[in-house]
Structures are given as structure tokens and as C-alpha cells.
Amino acid sequence: MTMALFIAPDGRPRCHWCAATPGYQAYHDHEWGFPVVDDRRLFEKLSLEGFQSGLSWLTILNKRENFRAAFAGFDPAAVARFTEEDVQRLLGDAGIVRHRGKIEAVINNARRALEMVDQEGSLAAFFWRHAPAPVQGGAPVSETAESRALSRELKKRGWKFVGPTTVYSFMQAMGLVNDHAPGCAVREEVEKARKAFRQP
């Protein structure tokens, strides 16, 4: 099955999903699929993927700066200290998705992230251990054997809102897999970045 491409105004073919808005295209061109080793960014992305559950990524992307302000820049050590007073503050913040379960999950996951850093050395070391072997782009999927395994491991460690579909979206975005469509102009750029990347 061939994944659809769209030709942007600059004449370059791109994954069809980023055609919706210029913001989507910028995210596609400069972030999605490029390998990430920074623990704060990894924690942020997994948190935002949890907030996306049941919503569109565009909704979350448009609110990302608000989320960063509300959650102390997604510094796990800072978020881990959040209290019920912070939960109430966040439930009153119209700039984010006001869902108690998801807010409490981020706070819980920040505490689990600190435990993971103690045990594994870094979030990056843990997550990149679950990166699958590279494969050529095929039919789009919403989860894989690797995302199911990673989801199970995170849940076993006490993380919340980390189902296999959420985890696979995280893996795609953080470069653990290169799911840019064959023929997408950014796919080769991501592949070069992955080859130059030193796994933690």
C-alpha cells in the first residue's frame, strides 16, 4: 500500500497528514521523526500524547506553549512536586485540556520518570532500548509489537495514559521509528539524522 503524499507550495512532497496547516507542516519538517535524546522533551511528548487521547494532535500542538507554561516546562522534577492545589489550578486553565485524569497522570508520570532516571540513568536510555529495527515504510499502523511491549513495561512501572497507540505516536514523533512516507522529502533527512544518532 502506498502512503499518500501532498505537494507543498515549495514543490516538495510531504506526508499527506501535514497538509492541514502551516503549523503542522513546520512540525512535520523540523520535529516529527527526528531522534530525540533529551529527557525533558521525551517526558513532554509522552505527556502531550496522553492529553491527545480522544482529540486531534493539532489541538494539542496549538496549545503546546500553554501546556509548557502550565507544567513548568515539563521538567519532571518540578511536575513531581505538584499538589492538589496545582491540579485545581490546571483544571481552571482554559489554555490547556482540562481533564483531571490526564492532569493527574502527568503528575504521576513525572514521579515515575524520576524513579526511572534513578534506575536506568536517563529516560532516553530506557526508551531507546525499545526502538525497533529499521524497516521500510509500509501501510500506516496505529500500534506495533514494540509499542505494545513498551506500553506494558511503562504500565508495570506505574505510568498512566500510556496505551500502545499513545506510545506508538510517541515513538514516531521522537524518532524511534521513521514513519515518514516513502517519497516524503523529509524522510531522507530523518534517516540521515538517525544514522548519525548515537543511541544512549
Side-chain angles (χ1 to χ4, degrees), residues 71-112:
F71 283 94
F74 287 99
D75 173 7
V79 177
R81 294 192 295 269
F82 279 16
T83 63
E84 177 59 28
E85 186 176 327
D86 291 292
V87 173
Q88 292 302 320
R89 169 180 61 82
L90 294 164
L91 286 170
D93 187 340
I96 67 168
V97 174
R98 294 177 288 183
H99 183 291
R100 176 179 281 275
K102 293 176 181 180
I103 290 167
E104 291 178 341
V106 172
I107 298 168
N108 168 78
N109 293 349
R111 295 166 184 162
R112 304 294 79 79

Side-chain angles (χ1 to χ4, degrees), residues 31-62:
E31 294 187 59
W32 196 72
F34 288 91
V36 172
V37 74
D38 178 75
D39 276 8
R40 187 201 59 76
R41 283 191 62 201
L42 292 165
F43 178 67
E44 172 185 289
K45 182 59 177 170
L46 195 53
S47 299
L48 292 178
E49 289 292 352
F51 271 106
Q52 184 197 343
S53 180
L55 303 169
S56 76
W57 174 241
L58 187 57
T59 297
I60 303 303
L61 188 61
N62 287 339

Side-chain angles (χ1 to χ4, degrees), residues 1-198:
M1 177 178 174
T2 301
M3 288 191 280
L5 298 171
F6 99 102
I7 306 301
D10 64 4
R12 301 176 78 207
R14 289 174 170 83
C15 300
H16 70 92
W17 61 262
C18 76
T21 70
Y24 248 8
Q25 186 173 310
Y27 173 73
H28 168 274
D29 286 4
H30 303 294
E31 294 187 59
W32 196 72
F34 288 91
V36 172
V37 74
D38 178 75
D39 276 8
R40 187 201 59 76
R41 283 191 62 201
L42 292 165
F43 178 67
E44 172 185 289
K45 182 59 177 170
L46 195 53
S47 299
L48 292 178
E49 289 292 352
F51 271 106
Q52 184 197 343
S53 180
L55 303 169
S56 76
W57 174 241
L58 187 57
T59 297
I60 303 303
L61 188 61
N62 287 339
K63 293 175 178 283
R64 184 163 62 170
E65 291 305 322
N66 297 333
F67 275 108
R68 286 172 172 166
F71 283 94
F74 287 99
D75 173 7
V79 177
R81 294 192 295 269
F82 279 16
T83 63
E84 177 59 28
E85 186 176 327
D86 291 292
V87 173
Q88 292 302 320
R89 169 180 61 82
L90 294 164
L91 286 170
D93 187 340
I96 67 168
V97 174
R98 294 177 288 183
H99 183 291
R100 176 179 281 275
K102 293 176 181 180
I103 290 167
E104 291 178 341
V106 172
I107 298 168
N108 168 78
N109 293 349
R111 295 166 184 162
R112 304 294 79 79
L114 295 182
E115 293 169 356
M116 185 177 286
V117 170
D118 285 342
Q119 295 161 0
E120 307 287 344
S122 68
L123 299 184
F126 171 80
F127 285 120
W128 278 95
R129 204 166 65 230
H130 291 81
V135 294
Q136 291 299 313
V141 297
S142 61
E143 61 180 71
T144 62
E146 291 85 2
S147 77
R148 288 189 287 272
L150 178 52
S151 172
R152 283 194 300 272
E153 179 64 20
L154 287 168
K155 288 177 181 177
K156 190 168 79 173
R157 291 172 180 247
W159 292 62
K160 297 179 179 177
F161 274 90
V162 287
T165 300
T166 294
V167 167
Y168 190 62
S169 293
F170 164 82
M171 294 172 79
Q172 290 175 304
M174 297 288 93
L176 278 77
V177 295
N178 182 1
D179 267 357
H180 283 274
C184 170
V186 182
R187 181 179 176 86
E188 188 176 333
E189 295 174 21
V190 165
E191 206 50 46
K192 285 179 183 176
R194 284 167 55 84
K195 285 176 182 174
F197 177 71
R198 294 185 63 182

